[in-house]
């Protein structure tokens, strides 16, 4: 158990809908990252938050948004869903300090758009 | 820009044998970290091993060791005494500063009895 909690584990929804994925980082971790893994592909970085503020953006679509709340949990909002958005979405958190890029991953949310 | 290259889409190994999964990287940052993750069929990403760019010795974690050759920009994962439970996707990743990790495309390892 990495200590990073993602909910829900599975989500099935229809095209055009909006969903929210939730992530609770490890205790003490300030950074939260969101990644997308499409079928049989590597992980693509979407967005990073650090202590409540957006730190970096990757290949995140305009239909997607995220935020990190004062208690450091984060939510990834996906709207106007398309079939191609079906993927495994991971949240990761990392601690402050020397090995700041060390990332601990949640178990992922498997999103299926039908 | 950072890049991770894993050239082996799939690998087979006999149970109890050692296997090396290749990873090369490219970055202009002098300080970086290299990671290996295991992803079983259930989907979770399991952290295996970390190597810092300034670490003098190769990292080891149980049956996992990282063969770090800085001049060649390679960070190969060696799994000794393979077990059936090692069958999974393996991802090499690199991180610098407080930026997100850059992942390779992965290697699917199958351990045969």
């Amino acid at each position: 158990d990495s200590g990073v909690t993602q909910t829900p584990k599975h989500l099935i929804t229809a095209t055009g809908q909006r969903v929210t994925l939730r992530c609770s980082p490890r205790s003490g971790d300030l950074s939260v990252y969101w990644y997308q893994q499409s079928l049989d592909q590597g992980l693509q970085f979407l967005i990073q938050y650090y202590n409540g503020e957006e730190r970096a953006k990757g290949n995140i679509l305009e239909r997607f948004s995220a935020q990190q709340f004062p208690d450091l949990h984060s939510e990834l909002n996906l709207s106007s869903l398309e079939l191609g958005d079906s993927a495994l979405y991971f949240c990761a958190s990392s601690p402050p300090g020397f090995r700041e890029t060390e990332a601990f991953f949640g178990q992922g949310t498997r999103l299926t758009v039908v | 820009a950072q890049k991770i290259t894993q050239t082996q889409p799939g690998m087979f190994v006999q149970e109890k044998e050692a296997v090396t999964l290749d990873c090369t990287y490219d970055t202009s940052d002098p300080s970086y970290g290299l990671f290996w993750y295991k992803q079983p069929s259930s989907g979770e990403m399991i952290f295996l091993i970390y190597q810092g760019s300034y670490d003098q010795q190769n990292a080891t974690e149980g049956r996992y060791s990282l063969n770090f050759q800085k001049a060649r920009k390679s960070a190969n994962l060696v799994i000794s005494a393979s077990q059936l439970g090692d069958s999974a996707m393996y991802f090499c990743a690199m991180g610098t500063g407080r930026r997100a990790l850059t992942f390779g495309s992965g290697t699917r390892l199958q351990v045969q009895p």
Side-chain angles (χ1 to χ4, degrees), chain A residues 35 37 45 48 90 100-101 103, chain B residues 37 39 43 50 97-98 100-101:
Chain A
Y35 294 85
Q37 184 183 30
F45 167 62
Q48 177 197 358
F90 286 103
E100 200 146 348
T101 56
Chain B
Y37 288 88
Q39 187 177 41
Y50 167 88
R98 295 179 182 175
L101 296 176

Side-chain angles (χ1 to χ4, degrees), chain A residues 5-11 18-24 34-35 46 65-67 69 73-78 81 85 87-91 108-111:
Chain A
T5 303
Q6 286 188 252
T7 56
K9 286 189 170 48
H10 300 275
L11 197 50
R18 172 189 169 95
V19 297
T20 297
L21 313 183
R22 182 187 169 100
C23 169
S24 294
W34 286 97
Y35 294 85
L46 295 178
S65 65
Q67 54 185 326
F69 295 87
H73 91 271
S74 178
E75 293 181 355
L76 179 67
N77 301 297
L78 315 177
L81 285 166
D85 297 328
L88 196 50
Y89 291 84
F90 286 103
C91 166
T109 293
R110 189 173 297 277
L111 173 67

Side-chain angles (χ1 to χ4, degrees), chain B:
Chain B
Q2 300 173 44
K3 187 175 181 181
I4 293 282
T5 303
Q6 293 180 255
T7 58
Q8 305 154 314
M11 290 279 286
F12 289 90
V13 65
Q14 292 293 122
E15 197 177 5
K16 298 180 185 175
E17 291 186 351
V19 62
T20 298
L21 306 184
D22 294 342
C23 172
T24 58
Y25 61 91
D26 191 22
T27 181
S28 57
D29 286 291
S31 177
Y32 51 88
L34 295 156
F35 302 78
W36 278 92
Y37 288 88
K38 173 184 178 182
Q39 187 177 41
S41 57
S42 52
E44 69 268 33
M45 294 290 286
I46 302 169
F47 166 75
L48 295 178
I49 196 166
Y50 167 88
Q51 178 85 42
S53 59
Y54 293 118
D55 292 345
Q56 294 296 314
Q57 293 189 325
N58 287 343
T60 60
E61 293 283 351
R63 294 186 298 111
Y64 304 107
S65 60
L66 200 152
N67 184 1
F68 181 46
Q69 297 187 41
K70 195 170 182 177
R72 299 177 67 178
K73 293 191 173 180
S74 74
N76 298 339
L77 177 70
V78 181
I79 305 175
S80 63
S82 297
Q83 301 172 356
L84 295 178
D86 294 333
S87 294
M89 281 289 287
Y90 288 81
F91 290 97
C92 179
M94 176 171 61
T96 59
R98 295 179 182 175
R99 296 196 289 271
L101 296 176
T102 299
F103 283 83
S105 55
T107 295
R108 184 174 299 279
L109 177 66
Q110 295 190 47
V111 180
Q112 297 175 319

